[in-house]
């Protein structure tokens, strides 16, 4: 983020929580953040928001990067899948791993993306 002069904002209430594995959840979130950093240009913005209700705890991670191609969206959580915007060094495991970690903890992850406008990952951990 520093090299690309990107900024990150984090917003949410301090009392929000969820029941899950701290280390594995951190790994999943880091993998998503790495994807956002990689696909967001210099001076870009990454926003993290979180909230809780009676049914689930939600974490949203959004960037204003180049977005994910529409034809790649159905496959981005597949192991070893590399979209057409993937970097040369990508092996296609980070988002698949994030998906596996989140769903193994009674969670769900969805992605919305629009070319040249950015991507938003929505993670929900159900109670």
């Amino acid at each position: 983020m520093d090299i690309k002069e990107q900024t990150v904002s984090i917003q949410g209430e301090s009392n929000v929580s969820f029941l899950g594995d701290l280390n594995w959840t951190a790994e999943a979130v880091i993998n998503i953040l790495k994807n956002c950093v990689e696909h967001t240009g210099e001076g870009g913005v990454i926003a993290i928001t979180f909230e809780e209700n009676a049914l689930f705890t939600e974490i949203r991670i959004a960037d204003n990067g180049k977005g994910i191609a529409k034809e790649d969206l159905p496959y981005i959580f597949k192991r070893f899948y590399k979209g057409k915007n993937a970097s040369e060094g990508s092996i296609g495991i980070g988002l698949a791993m994030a998906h596996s970690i989140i769903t193994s903890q009674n969670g769900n992850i969805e992605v919305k993306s629009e070319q040249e406008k950015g991507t938003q990952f929505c993670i929900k951990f159900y109670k």
Side-chain angles (χ1 to χ4, degrees):
M1 292 180 83
D2 287 342
I3 292 171
K4 293 174 101 177
E5 297 180 344
Q6 296 170 340
T7 57
V8 64
S9 69
I10 303 172
Q11 294 183 342
E13 297 292 322
S14 62
N15 62 344
V16 172
S17 66
F18 77 98
L19 189 59
D21 186 292
L22 173 65
N23 293 327
W24 279 114
T25 303
E27 181 72 25
V29 170
I30 288 168
N31 284 341
I32 293 167
L33 287 170
K34 283 180 183 176
N35 189 81
C36 292
V37 169
E38 179 181 334
H39 296 287
T40 300
E42 288 189 24
V45 177
I46 298 170
I48 303 167
T49 59
F50 53 92
E51 62 186 354
E52 180 179 19
N53 63 39
L55 301 176
F56 54 82
T57 300
E58 180 179 77
I59 303 168
R60 289 184 184 266
I61 303 170
D63 66 52
N64 65 346
K66 47 187 158 175
I68 299 168
K70 194 173 189 175
E71 60 269 19
D72 288 333
L73 279 174
Y75 310 105
I76 64 163
F77 297 123
K78 301 286 183 204
R79 196 169 185 194
F80 303 120
Y81 182 79
K82 293 181 358 180
K84 66 182 184 179
N85 292 332
S87 66
E88 238 179 76
S90 175
I91 58 171
I93 194 88
L95 292 179
M97 186 177 190
H99 182 270
S100 178
I101 291 167
I102 291 164
T103 56
S104 73
Q105 297 184 84
N106 196 32
N108 179 3
I109 182 169
E110 296 175 354
V111 64
K112 295 177 186 172
S113 189
E114 192 173 336
Q115 292 277 254
E116 304 306 323
K117 294 197 177 181
T119 302
Q120 177 178 279
F121 294 88
C122 179
I123 304 165
K124 291 181 182 175
F125 291 104
Y126 296 93
K127 298 180 179 192

